[in-house]
Amino acid sequence: MAALFRGSRNLLLRRNKHVDLAFVTSRSMASKTPVGFIGLGNMGSPMAKNLLKNGYPVIATDVFPESCKALQDMGAQVVHSPSEVAEKADRIITMLPSSPNVIEVYTGPNGILKKVKKGTLLIDSSTIDPAVSKEMAVAAEKMGAVFMDAPVSGGVGAASLAKLTFMAAKICNNMLLAIGMIGTAETMNLGIRLGLDPKLLAKILNMSSGRCWSSDTYNPVPGVMEGVPSANNYQGGFGTTLMAKDLGLAQNTATNTKTPIPLGSLAHQIFRVMCSRGFANKDFSSVFQFLREEESQ
């Protein structure tokens, strides 16, 4: 009987501990400011999930309803439009694919700015044309809201300047990344055609002056590395469509500033062709597969 009593007591204590923990978690989430999140793609979804995991109530929407399901299962409130998000949250993060998407989400018929409350903080983490970011900041200011990029704090003026600086750096980085990936893919393909084992070739490159991120961390050749898109039929990662879009932004800004970018322009054309050849939804490192297929044309 004593043993049964002790077992029952321990079970009750464990149950009470679980109830208390659930109560504390619920109370913690309720005490934090709700965060609106618009854009639940490959980059936005993990960000929104991290907010939920850290106790923030999330009010989310996406143009594709199926993208919301996993987040809803974790406790997010899913609504039908950006304007509904703006009605329910005064801290809103947007993670969208392109400039037209940002313009639509902020200023469209069901956009954020149709229902935004004064004092709302709008944090845009999209990679878009810097001119569009500036336009959105001005539009938000007219509605009494503050538009800024994720790492920015301060007023609208500072936010706009920092946003432009951040976006310019990101566009430049992604242009270099695209050029480097094409160079790595070409080099690996040439070495393989010369009879070199791809793993051995990658090892030699990564001990030599040609070493780069695309060769030692994100190699585009299947079978050379584990845990990268090339090891998974180029699924996941950073899509070819997004890379083509970013290179288009680089091309536009280069034209506006009269800056020669011959390699950037060529990279833009290559990724655009890839999008038309069935690589649009694959990781941008699939340029290696694209080159291999070009051999047989």
Side-chain angles (χ1 to χ4, degrees):
M1 180 65 73
L4 179 62
F5 176 78
R6 284 196 300 270
S8 300
R9 181 173 178 272
N10 289 339
L11 180 62
L12 182 62
L13 287 173
R14 285 198 299 272
R15 183 174 180 180
N16 285 343
K17 184 178 180 181
H18 175 75
V19 171
D20 289 344
L21 179 60
F23 176 74
V24 169
T25 301
S26 175
R27 184 174 62 184
S28 174
M29 183 172 286
S31 69
K32 291 189 176 181
T33 303
V35 178
F37 208 104
I38 302 170
L40 302 172
N42 289 338
M43 300 176 72
S45 182
M47 293 169 64
K49 288 177 181 177
N50 281 337
L51 286 169
L52 285 168
K53 289 174 183 177
N54 283 279
Y56 287 90
V58 171
I59 302 159
T61 192
D62 190 274
V63 68
F64 299 108
E66 60 272 18
S67 300
C68 303
K69 188 179 185 309
L71 215 63
Q72 190 171 31
D73 291 343
M74 292 178 64
Q77 180 183 354
V78 174
V79 296
H80 298 292
S81 68
S83 61
E84 288 185 66
V85 174
E87 282 185 302
K88 298 175 180 293
D90 56 14
R91 301 290 183 271
I92 301 172
I93 299 171
T94 52
M95 174 58 84
L96 304 161
S98 66
S99 297
N101 297 122
V102 170
I103 293 170
E104 177 67 19
V105 162
Y106 278 90
T107 65
N110 293 307
I112 293 170
L113 298 184
K114 294 296 181 183
K115 296 289 180 71
V116 72
K117 294 172 280 190
K118 287 187 177 181
T120 294
L121 175 62
L122 305 171
I123 303 173
D124 182 44
S125 296
S126 314
T127 302
I128 58 172
D129 190 326
V132 172
S133 294
K134 189 173 182 179
E135 289 175 17
M136 295 303 101
V138 172
E141 184 179 17
K142 290 178 181 178
M143 302 302 296
V146 178
F147 178 94
M148 59 176 64
D149 189 51
V152 176
S153 63
V156 174
S160 297
L161 178 60
K163 175 77 177 180
L164 291 173
T165 301
F166 178 77
M167 291 308 304
K170 190 168 185 180
I171 288 170
C172 291
N173 176 80
N174 284 7
M175 183 177 74
L176 179 58
L177 176 61
I179 294 169
M181 180 56 75
I182 293 171
T184 300
E186 289 184 347
T187 300
M188 292 295 297
N189 190 36
L190 176 61
I192 292 168
R193 290 291 296 273
L194 291 172
L196 293 172
D197 175 78
K199 285 188 176 182
L200 176 61
L201 175 57
K203 185 175 181 179
I204 293 170
L205 291 175
N206 293 332
M207 295 171 60
S208 307
S209 57
R211 178 182 181 181
C212 64
W213 185 83
S214 295
S215 68
D216 72 358
T217 304
Y218 209 81
N219 200 286
V221 180
V224 170
M225 297 182 65
E226 296 181 359
V228 294
S230 62
N232 188 36
N233 194 29
Y234 300 104
Q235 299 303 306
F238 189 67
T240 298
T241 299
L242 292 177
M243 182 57 83
K245 182 262 295 184
D246 287 356
L247 288 167
L249 294 176
Q251 184 69 69
N252 290 340
T253 54
T255 300
N256 292 337
T257 57
K258 295 181 172 61
T259 305
I261 54 166
L263 293 181
S265 297
L266 181 57
H268 184 211
Q269 294 305 313
I270 290 172
F271 281 102
R272 286 182 63 191
V273 171
M274 287 176 63
C275 288
S276 69
R277 298 275 185 86
F279 292 86
N281 296 320
K282 292 191 174 186
D283 180 73
F284 79 107
S285 63
S286 63
V287 66
F288 173 80
Q289 184 181 0
F290 169 73
L291 293 173
R292 297 285 285 185
E293 291 183 4
E294 285 294 294
E295 295 172 5
S296 60
Q297 297 296 323

